[in-house]
Amino acid sequence: MNVERVLPRDAIPSVDDPTFGPEYAGEADDEVVVLERSGEVRAYPVGILDFHEVVNDTVAGQPVAVTWCPLCGAGVVYDREVPAAASVLDATGRGEGDATRPPVLSFGVSGKLADDDLVMYDRETDSEWKQSAGTAIAGPLAGTDLRVLPAGMTTYGEFREAYPGGVVLQPPGGSSEAASDTDEPAPIDYGRRPYESYLAGDGVGLGAHRGTGGRDWDREDLSPKAVVLGVEGGGAALGFPRPRLLAAGGVGRATVGDRAVLVFATPDGVHGFEDPGFRFERVEEGRFRADGTVWDGATGRSEDGRRLERVPARRLFAFAWQDDHGPDAFWSG
């Protein structure tokens, strides 16, 4: 693993006191991370995450970290309650919460990259965490894994149609290095898309973003920026590439460790659920027929009112998944 400092700590500021509202100033096809918990539904627009990368939030009483690495296309939501932290924190350093629950960590942007992936740090133990893997790579909690929570990525338009009562993260303002043409933070213009040219290009990594080169990619069966849904369970890990899912009719299934997983490719993303064992067939883009009804692949809802259970998963680019799990950890179709 190659770890390097590219920015000062907190040059990209996390959002630590998020506010939400019903409106979003961006476009309907803008991507959002969607978190649904105990009836609360929140969307975190990538157009805001690009400038902040970490949102420390609490949803339905659950402390969560909504994390985003623009270079890796990695959107992952983690549980901020970390039992392992109890052994390294004294009674006055437990952070948020109370002594009857595990310590709650708050995360910021370290300014470092590990294999071109965001390295977060926590303010309670000063440990450093590789964002795509959720593993502490330095500090007192080195070797500890954060718990992945079920979440999805879709467009704002799809979110608003599926969840008319859902709320959206509001722009917190301030300055960020991602808004600057130098390493110094600049006032944020949320209408700007700082990674637009990077996403449109073929190269991957910081060098490709900065126009100074890019990483090698030595396989032809997958693009390095192919969108992957990564699922882990029982010591196993399997990434479902969206192009392979589309070629297989938009549906993939596998057993990952002890978990039977059903994955749909939709027009706007890739989504994983607990496999109910039904035979699914695509009837149109993003919609699938099974067990006498039609199911929405993005939400897991059926027309007769049933719902599939979303699995904890990571959405990221193929090169980042391969960095974390090796070249063979992909669903073959």
Side-chain angles (χ1 to χ4, degrees), residues 278 287 290-296 300-308:
F278 308 148
R287 294 175 65 78
D291 201 40
T293 189
V294 174
W295 304 75
D296 186 303
R301 294 176 174 177
S302 71
E303 291 182 347
D304 64 4
R306 287 178 285 172
R307 297 188 64 174
L308 301 175

Side-chain angles (χ1 to χ4, degrees), residues 280-332:
F280 287 84
E281 295 183 348
R282 182 169 57 192
V283 294
E284 59 181 301
E285 282 194 302
R287 294 175 65 78
F288 304 86
R289 181 177 298 280
D291 201 40
T293 189
V294 174
W295 304 75
D296 186 303
T299 65
R301 294 176 174 177
S302 71
E303 291 182 347
D304 64 4
R306 287 178 285 172
R307 297 188 64 174
L308 301 175
E309 187 74 20
R310 192 179 293 273
V311 297
R314 313 164 195 271
R315 185 273 203 189
L316 70 176
F317 290 151
F319 84 89
W321 180 257
Q322 179 166 298
D323 283 345
D324 291 339
H325 297 287
D328 299 324
F330 292 93
W331 179 75
S332 64

Side-chain angles (χ1 to χ4, degrees), residues 73 115 222 238 262 267:
D115 295 335
L222 276 177
L238 191 65
L262 172 73

Side-chain angles (χ1 to χ4, degrees), residues 23 55 57 67 70 130 147 152 160 171 173-174 177 199 249 255 305 314:
E23 303 299 331
V55 180
D57 198 3
T67 70
K130 191 175 189 296
R147 184 168 72 98
R160 183 49 70 210
E177 187 279 335
L199 295 175
T255 299
R314 313 164 195 271

Side-chain angles (χ1 to χ4, degrees), residues 32-37 42-44 49 53-59 62-69 73-81 107 120 131-134 145-153 229-230 310-316:
V32 296
V33 176
V34 178
L35 180 59
E36 182 178 6
R37 189 171 184 86
R42 299 183 180 183
Y44 304 81
L49 296 176
E53 300 188 359
V54 177
V55 180
N56 293 294
D57 198 3
T58 300
V59 182
Q62 173 69 61
V64 303
V66 179
T67 70
W68 170 250
C69 177
V76 193
V77 178
Y78 291 110
D79 185 352
R80 291 198 290 126
E81 291 188 319
F107 295 92
M120 310 182 295
Q131 178 263 351
S132 63
D145 292 320
L146 299 174
R147 184 168 72 98
V148 181
L149 297 177
M153 284 191 68
L229 189 79
R310 192 179 293 273
V311 297
R314 313 164 195 271
R315 185 273 203 189
L316 70 176

